[in-house]
Amino acid sequence: MQLTTGQAIVQSLLRQGVDTVFGMPGVQTYDLFDAFYDVRDKIRVVLVRHEQAAAYMAYGYARSTGKVGVFSVVPGPGVLNTMSALCTAQGSNVPLVCLTSEIPTDFQGKGRRHLHEIRDQLGTLRSLIKWAEQCDAPEAAPALVNEAFKQSQSGRPGPVSLQVPWNVLGQTGDVILLDPEDLTRPAAQADEINAAADLIAGASAPMIYVGGGALHAGAEVIELAERLGAPIASFRSGRGVVSDDHPLTVMLPVAAELWEETDLVIGIGSRLEGPYMRWNQMQWMERPADPKLVRIDIDPQEMDYWAPDAALVGDSKPTTKALTAALAARGVNFEDRSAKIAAAKAKVREEIIAVQPQMDILDTVRDILPADGFVTGEMTQVGFASQVGFPVYAPRTYVTCGHQDGLGYGFLTALGVKVANPNKMVICLTGDGGFQFGLQDLATAKQFSINLITIVFNNSAYGNVRRDQQTRYGGRVIGADLENPDFPALATAYGVGAYQVTDVAGLRTSLEEAAGKSEPAVIDFVLEKGSEGSPWPFIIRDAWANG
């Protein structure tokens, strides 16, 4: 079949089931976007206003669905503008495919400063993400697209990039299209499972700690937890693996209440940031001998960090199922601890409700957001509080940026979540600082009817920075105060719904009104500068002081 390289790539995307591509065309990618035109009834191209939006929207699309997110930008400065999102995907194990170009083949390696040339773009990408490669002929495109999707989804998922030189994208060749490869995600070995089961059988008060690698294994985690009577703890990426309405599910501060009695931890698809970093004041520590640690992770390298007493290298779903079967065969069945867990939940709720106005805001959002609706946070006071105080009822509905904590990710990521889930309510919780990293893409929301509800918490400051400068640096506040635009006027100028509120009652009314309309909306929640209570005592603590 005679196809250009651009056409071969697009036809290969169709075979991978791609239905949406985020991006922005430029002279180096014209031949790729011309191929998208031919399949515009099958693949929707969402035009953004800044390249970082393309990558973050693809991230939100992927994080909320489990499918691969695809975006396309020009080389050089275009690719560089996506680096924050690519690093976020790398840190959060989210599968993305970046399709970009490169300077013409004859100019590569010569340093002649061709349009958009940067030194070693491929090497730069390889230093940051899971895999990157260059396609130098149309005949090579199908195999490379397949490899890109395989790399992005196999083992520990992550972002990848495929670049095609400017002069190659339009070249024609005799192309043989390929079917996607089947991906296998095996369970751990039998000897690993048996060793872990023996260790667990000797424990008295185990705790299960889940991360983003267990998002598809909720049923298996529940089965294991109910056999062990164990609390299921999580922080950020693991929220929603098991619904917060399950009696064994606990948020991070509740897990801390139960930590002293815990004699064994089963980490499932998690790097265990909560107990070994957040509870150690974000400092490095060698893992103490107790509690004992069992880890289930598909990435063998993860076992080098806080090495476990029993390592199970495999996908969390079949491995957790096999571990539960091994425990059942041993007759392991622990006592019911649900009353003790419920008491710990009640204690933390009584304490965390003092973090105001964030907790009243989060309770209001939770009242209005359906159980299967999505919320996207941000590096803002309400976002931080949501990590430890917002109930989550379904996998993938709490969309986080993982450990990168990239300011400005929230609004753009939430746009991608809404594109992927057009019939579900999506609410973005963002701050006035973070929102201004990408507010120009309100135009994208309007143009493509991305009916996202965005709540901007307007305290005229980078609130966390300001609090730290006041409390830790004697009030020497610098670079923390903001002079903000009129957000409702800006929203109106972009043609989207605009609201302004000053209290929780007003937020409820505005949310209910916005939810009843079919349009994007911005709710400007004006707060007094420095008025928010600190959520940090519930996130970072010294749990090892007496260890």
Side-chain angles (χ1 to χ4, degrees):
M1 182 186 303
Q2 289 293 306
L3 296 173
T4 67
T5 308
Q7 289 170 333
I9 289 171
V10 171
Q11 289 300 317
S12 298
L13 294 180
L14 284 172
R15 292 190 171 215
Q16 293 286 347
V18 173
D19 57 18
T20 304
V21 173
F22 305 93
M24 182 186 301
V27 63
Q28 298 94 337
T29 60
Y30 282 166
D31 287 298
L32 177 62
F33 278 81
D34 186 63
F36 281 131
Y37 183 88
D38 291 336
V39 298
R40 61 194 183 280
D41 59 332
K42 299 183 180 76
I43 294 180
R44 183 189 192 193
V45 174
V46 179
L47 172 65
V48 298
R49 301 306 188 268
H50 191 285
E51 288 94 350
Q52 74 164 343
Y56 272 128
M57 288 176 75
Y59 174 82
Y61 179 101
R63 185 68 171 77
S64 65
T65 63
K67 300 194 295 185
V68 178
V70 182
F71 69 94
S72 180
V73 295
V74 297
V79 166
L80 293 177
N81 279 338
T82 71
M83 289 298 180
S84 177
L86 286 172
C87 289
T88 296
Q90 178 73 11
S92 300
N93 312 315
V94 170
L96 299 188
V97 172
C98 168
L99 298 173
T100 187
S101 186
E102 177 56 297
I103 62 172
T105 307
D106 288 347
F107 283 84
Q108 290 183 20
K110 295 184 171 61
R112 298 303 302 157
R113 302 185 181 129
H114 202 283
L115 177 65
H116 291 178
E117 180 177 3
I118 59 173
R119 184 181 297 174
D120 193 9
Q121 176 175 283
L122 196 61
T124 299
L125 286 162
R126 286 172 173 167
S127 73
L128 294 171
I129 62 177
K130 185 177 179 183
W131 178 91
E133 194 51 79
Q134 178 167 300
C135 177
D136 290 312
E139 295 83 358
L144 284 169
V145 170
N146 271 13
E147 184 64 20
F149 275 76
K150 177 182 176 181
Q151 289 285 340
S152 72
Q153 298 173 91
S154 60
R156 180 185 290 275
V160 302
S161 180
L162 180 60
Q163 67 182 40
V164 187
W166 185 353
N167 60 302
V168 175
L169 263 175
Q171 287 179 3
T172 300
D174 189 10
V175 175
I176 299 174
L177 297 175
L178 303 173
D179 290 331
E181 293 186 41
D182 291 329
L183 298 177
T184 58
R185 300 181 71 84
Q189 298 297 311
D191 59 337
E192 296 177 340
I193 292 167
N194 286 325
D198 289 341
L199 186 63
I200 295 167
S204 60
M207 175 184 291
I208 296 170
Y209 193 96
V210 296
L215 284 167
H216 62 306
E220 291 73 18
V221 171
I222 291 172
E223 186 180 9
L224 175 63
E226 290 178 347
R227 175 163 292 277
L228 300 179
I232 307 164
S234 64
F235 177 60
R236 291 196 298 202
S237 295
R239 301 294 312 283
V241 168
V242 177
S243 172
D244 275 312
D245 62 9
H246 191 286
L248 294 178
T249 305
V250 300
M251 298 185 210
L252 189 67
V254 182
E257 290 292 319
L258 300 167
W259 187 247
E260 187 173 347
E261 68 179 45
T262 299
D263 62 350
L264 181 139
V265 176
I266 305 171
I268 305 178
S270 170
R271 59 193 185 90
L272 303 169
E273 177 186 2
Y276 295 116
M277 287 179 63
R278 296 284 169 168
W279 293 350
N280 193 47
Q281 301 290 326
M282 297 301 290
Q283 301 302 308
W284 174 255
M285 67 185 296
E286 298 295 336
R287 185 181 73 80
D290 293 306
K292 299 300 182 185
L293 179 61
V294 173
R295 300 193 70 177
I296 298 173
D297 203 288
I298 201 166
D299 183 1
Q301 186 177 3
E302 190 62 40
M303 304 305 176
D304 295 337
Y305 315 125
W306 297 307
D309 299 283
L312 292 82
V313 178
D315 181 78
S316 61
K317 189 178 181 72
T319 301
T320 302
K321 184 177 181 65
L323 177 60
T324 303
L327 291 167
R330 287 163 171 76
V332 174
N333 217 347
F334 283 52
E335 65 175 295
D336 182 2
R337 297 161 63 200
S338 57
K340 184 176 290 187
I341 292 168
K345 287 185 179 183
K347 178 179 184 292
V348 169
R349 172 66 183 182
E350 186 177 334
E351 294 170 349
I352 202 171
I353 198 66
V355 180
Q356 294 293 348
Q358 297 100 301
M359 287 305 299
D360 282 352
I361 289 168
L362 292 171
D363 287 348
T364 300
V365 171
R366 185 68 274 177
D367 283 348
I368 292 170
L369 185 71
D372 63 352
F374 293 80
V375 67
T376 297
E378 177 57 89
M379 301 302 103
T380 185
Q381 296 305 299
V382 177
F384 294 132
S386 75
Q387 295 171 1
V388 292
F390 184 79
V392 179
Y393 300 129
R396 300 192 177 279
T397 58
Y398 183 77
V399 181
T400 172
C401 64
H403 76 86
Q404 280 293 336
D405 277 2
L407 184 61
Y409 91 94
F411 169 62
L412 301 175
T413 295
L415 288 174
V417 174
K418 185 62 178 177
V419 169
N421 303 274
N423 298 319
K424 302 286 180 68
M425 186 183 294
V426 181
I427 296 176
C428 173
L429 308 174
T430 187
D432 44 4
F435 181 53
Q436 291 181 82
F437 277 50
L439 63 77
Q440 71 281 340
D441 276 274
L442 284 171
T444 302
K446 174 65 175 177
Q447 180 176 349
F448 292 93
S449 299
I450 307 171
N451 298 330
L452 168 70
I453 300 173
T454 302
I455 309 172
V456 181
F457 297 100
N458 182 356
N459 60 4
S460 299
Y462 290 120
N464 230 49
V465 174
R466 196 174 202 280
R467 181 193 293 119
D468 284 347
Q469 290 177 342
Q470 287 179 319
T471 59
R472 297 167 57 190
Y473 292 88
R476 295 161 61 86
V477 175
I478 183 169
D481 292 328
L482 301 174
E483 185 170 325
N484 288 325
D486 183 332
F487 290 119
L490 266 175
T492 300
Y494 278 108
V496 307
Y499 306 83
Q500 188 172 72
V501 302
T502 58
D503 56 30
V504 172
L507 174 63
R508 181 179 293 274
T509 300
S510 296
L511 267 176
E512 290 173 342
E513 184 177 339
K517 296 181 178 180
S518 296
E519 65 174 2
V522 174
I523 301 174
D524 179 26
F525 195 133
V526 180
L527 295 161
E528 181 182 347
K529 185 180 295 185
S531 62
E532 302 99 332
S534 174
W536 290 106
F538 297 92
I539 301 173
I540 294 180
R541 59 198 295 155
D542 193 354
W544 299 95
N546 299 317

